[in-house]
Amino acid sequence: MMDGIAHGYDVARIRQDFPILSQGVRGRPLVFLDSGASAQKPRQVMDAMRACMETAYANVHRGAYHLSELATENHEAAREAVRRFLNAARAEEIVFAGSSTNAINLVAHSFGRGVLKAGQRVLVSEMEHHANLIPWHMLRDSGLGIGMGVIRVTDAGELDLDSLRAELAKGDVGLVAVTHMSNVLGTVTPAAAIARMAHEAGARVLFDGSQAAVHRRVDVQALDADFYVFTGHKLYGPTGIGVLYAKHELLKAMPPFLGGGDMINTVTMDGFTWAEPPLRFEAGTPPIIEAQGLKAAVEYVEAIGMEAIEAHERRLVEHAMRVLPEVEGLSILGAAQDRGGVFSFALDAAHPHDLSTFLDSRGICIRAGRHCAEPLHARLGHEGGSARASFGLYTTEGEVDALAGALREARRFFA
Amino acid sequence: MSAALDTLYAAPIREHARNPRHRARLECADATARGDNPLCGDRVEIFLTLDGARIVQASFLGRGCDVSQASADLLAEAVRGLDAADARALSARVRQMARSGEGADAMGALGALAAAARFPSRVKCATLPWVTLEAALDGAREASSE
């Protein structure tokens, strides 16, 4: 199963950092190919969260005593680590939210209701997962006169830039909210070009980086992103913490999302004044322990190097594109030129659900269903869903081979 | 081969999934409902013709995994001729069996669905047609596995 050191990338050594990967499933090695849903955690993340609780835990931004000051310092160090990870200009542009979903809802609420004007539209693409679709439906349905438009996806599973251009030309687009990498097709979208087109049309742009930030180096300044969101648990960090990056001028103009402690300056029984960003958007006690886990996760991937991770995953994708199409009866969804380590597929002999149960009996974990992207499955003629294998920095070529072998077995089993 | 896997995909399930006897639309249906599993996309439509409270004919259309489609075919076979109250009682027993894995021996062909209990994520595949049947008998048009 281990591929050893290939191209200077020591995947066997990396796998040792992930305790769960050494466990067996029904007497077989665990082959975890569902990192796109949530990734496994390295010991470094667990250790950091434990150390936070054992040595440096108190509420942050509140106590005038040493332990709270230490916890606050560590919390802000986590913000700084994320700033560096995204190459944001300043730490105040990093807002901790509970998840990508929370972060997008924050933008839909605070920017959507507070900055967008009646008559303006939000553009989303056909390949969004529900987290970057439903918040905009809710904004549209809130009676403020804000509309929506759709960017089409080509048969190859790429963003149709002509469709984006045509929508922008209507002159009423306030925000383009698109994925930076499809969680179904693995398609990496041309974010810098999208941002340029949006800005030329006077629109702002939000990238959902839930998948992309895990697989590629993200530079929000180079992309000229107005908003960028990602989540901790897909980046080998803990659940319960996500990140919203937003340009400072935008955060300054946006009203708060949730109300509570931390997001205020002064409070009387009659009202309150807003705190400055980012605290304006962080009502209540923040995810203190999770922030330390996220910091450790960011430092973990940076120590390996995002370029090295990307190169490893490119090799995996190339390998998968060689061996999976050789499986008789298998069809892969999408054929994007630029794709990351996510494959959705259908096997002629078996429904995705049945396939998933079969692969599980071989110790192989994949996702079956519509992967929270129902409209995309409808667009591609797979209303019933698909099966998905997604790779992480610990995935090996041997695991891809194990998947291909088990798919052949499944075809015989369900024939 | 895992024994549990062979149980879930035992011959009756595979036979009903591959060669369903009751996969059809009843144009003159007196009661019908559509059931969806929003997570995986499985869908089952149940059609019933009634004579008073008695189910005369039952059929289904749908898309989904072998378990959900076989369950729908088994359902159509099992509820023909039953009074609505008996069909509801049977549905409750099947759903209980699919969750617990117990009581298969007394259920005849439907007993094959008990294997779903060993696969917690698959219980809803087995029960979707049955909650849809109950919705049809209630006069509701739609049901959800959730």
Side-chain angles (χ1 to χ4, degrees):
Chain A
M1 188 64 56
M2 297 305 164
D3 292 356
I5 304 174
H7 308 275
Y9 190 90
D10 192 349
V11 70
R13 167 70 200 82
I14 286 168
R15 290 175 69 88
Q16 288 172 5
D17 292 333
F18 292 79
I20 205 170
L21 296 179
S22 60
Q23 76 175 20
V25 177
R26 298 186 190 90
R28 294 164 182 270
L30 170 68
V31 176
F32 188 76
L33 298 176
D34 197 22
S35 296
S38 198
Q40 299 299 346
K41 318 304 175 197
R43 205 178 292 282
Q44 287 83 343
V45 167
M46 303 173 204
D47 288 348
M49 295 174 79
R50 173 178 283 273
C52 172
M53 289 182 277
E54 284 185 345
T55 65
Y57 188 77
N59 211 330
V60 297
H61 306 139
R62 285 164 174 77
Y65 53 88
H66 170 70
L67 205 52
S68 176
E69 288 163 356
L70 178 62
T72 302
E73 197 176 304
N74 290 344
H75 194 67
E76 294 310 312
R79 200 187 302 277
E80 170 58 23
V82 172
R83 182 206 65 75
R84 197 180 57 237
F85 180 66
L86 294 177
N87 191 33
R90 48 199 288 190
E92 293 86 346
E93 296 178 319
I94 304 299
V95 177
F96 288 134
S99 60
S100 294
T101 301
N102 278 23
I104 295 172
N105 275 277
L106 191 167
V107 178
H109 187 96
S110 294
F111 179 78
R113 291 163 179 256
V115 178
L116 289 180
K117 301 280 180 275
Q120 285 193 302
R121 289 187 306 145
V122 177
L123 293 186
V124 296
S125 86
E126 281 179 310
M127 65 173 144
E128 300 314 313
H129 69 153
H130 297 164
N132 194 30
L133 187 57
I134 310 301
W136 307 114
H137 283 155
M138 291 169 70
L139 175 63
R140 178 198 61 194
D141 296 342
S142 63
L144 298 170
I146 293 163
M148 279 178 74
V150 175
I151 308 164
R152 301 293 170 197
V153 168
T154 67
D155 290 339
E158 294 177 321
L159 219 56
D160 181 347
L161 293 182
D162 289 336
S163 157
L164 169 61
R165 201 169 285 115
E167 288 296 325
L168 287 171
K170 293 176 184 170
D172 60 353
V173 176
L175 179 72
V176 177
V178 292
T179 184
H180 193 190
M181 174 176 160
S182 165
N183 70 318
V184 175
L185 306 173
T187 307
V188 177
T189 57
I194 294 166
R196 198 163 50 242
M197 291 166 69
H199 291 155
E200 282 168 9
R204 298 291 187 169
V205 62
L206 175 146
F207 294 113
D208 175 358
S210 302
Q211 297 292 335
V214 181
H215 302 286
R216 300 281 170 98
R217 176 171 295 288
V218 173
D219 182 332
V220 291
Q221 294 190 79
L223 294 176
D224 200 12
D226 296 302
F227 301 99
Y228 197 98
V229 307
F230 73 96
T231 193
H233 72 96
K234 293 185 203 286
L235 189 71
Y236 314 102
T239 53
I241 188 163
V243 168
L244 166 66
Y245 159 82
K247 285 180 180 164
H248 194 246
E249 78 213 47
L250 287 167
L251 289 178
K252 287 280 281 185
M254 286 159 54
F257 176 34
L258 302 174
D262 252 10
M263 49 73 73
I264 36 80
N265 254 349
T266 58
V267 182
T268 66
M269 286 317 292
D270 295 325
F272 67 99
T273 60
W274 304 342
E276 289 299 306
L279 292 188
R280 183 186 297 172
F281 304 99
E282 296 180 348
T285 294
I288 298 167
I289 302 158
E290 291 80 357
Q292 294 311 303
L294 178 61
K295 174 171 178 278
V298 164
E299 289 169 351
Y300 182 79
V301 295
E302 285 182 333
I304 296 172
M306 288 310 292
E307 285 77 11
I309 292 169
E310 180 180 342
H312 172 68
E313 291 185 358
R314 275 190 198 281
R315 287 191 294 275
L316 284 174
V317 167
E318 284 166 17
H319 184 69
M321 290 304 275
R322 272 196 303 276
V323 301
L324 292 181
E326 287 173 7
V327 177
E328 206 176 334
L330 191 84
S331 51
I332 294 172
L333 276 65
Q337 292 295 315
D338 191 4
R339 76 185 301 161
V342 173
F343 286 88
S344 292
F345 50 88
L347 189 67
D348 56 358
H351 185 275
H353 236 157
D354 297 318
L355 186 57
S356 176
T357 295
F358 181 89
L359 294 175
D360 183 46
S361 76
R362 298 294 184 273
I364 300 173
C365 310
I366 60 151
R367 175 109 180 241
R370 294 184 291 201
H371 326 310
C372 297
E374 191 173 337
L376 178 61
H377 277 87
R379 162 69 181 81
L380 298 173
H382 285 267
E383 285 85 352
S386 63
R388 180 184 77 178
S390 51
F391 306 153
L393 56 80
Y394 39 63
T395 305
T396 68
E397 290 190 4
E399 289 181 309
V400 177
D401 293 338
L403 172 65
L407 287 170
R408 287 195 177 87
E409 266 191 274
R411 194 156 187 271
R412 288 194 293 275
F413 181 81
F414 289 106
Chain B
M1 184 56 59
S2 119
L5 193 67
D6 278 339
T7 316
L8 183 62
Y9 295 105
I13 296 284
R14 300 177 66 160
E15 174 58 21
H16 280 277
R18 297 303 149 94
N19 301 300
R21 288 145 224 188
H22 307 289
R23 179 186 282 278
R25 178 183 299 279
L26 286 179
E27 295 298 344
C28 52
D30 299 302
T32 177
R34 190 182 87 189
D36 281 293
N37 182 335
L39 290 180
C40 67
D42 282 4
R43 172 172 286 181
V44 171
E45 282 180 275
I46 299 286
F47 304 93
L48 305 171
T49 59
L50 302 170
D51 178 8
R54 198 172 69 89
I55 297 170
V56 180
Q57 283 182 291
S59 72
F60 79 101
L61 287 177
R63 61 163 197 243
C65 61
D66 283 3
V67 178
S68 66
Q69 302 304 297
S71 179
D73 201 47
L74 285 162
L75 177 154
E77 186 115 1
V79 301
R80 290 175 173 220
L82 293 186
D83 280 341
D86 293 336
R88 281 180 212 278
L90 177 65
S91 181
R93 284 166 62 203
V94 170
R95 294 203 284 124
Q96 174 61 26
M97 177 186 72
R99 278 195 297 273
S100 68
E102 291 164 9
D105 290 347
M107 297 292 277
L110 295 173
L113 298 171
R118 296 172 73 173
F119 300 85
S121 64
R122 307 302 302 277
V123 170
K124 285 173 180 170
C125 309
T127 57
L128 176 64
W130 298 88
V131 297
T132 310
L133 168 73
E134 291 174 31
L137 291 172
D138 289 342
R141 305 289 298 182
E142 291 177 8
S144 169
S145 64
E146 293 305 296

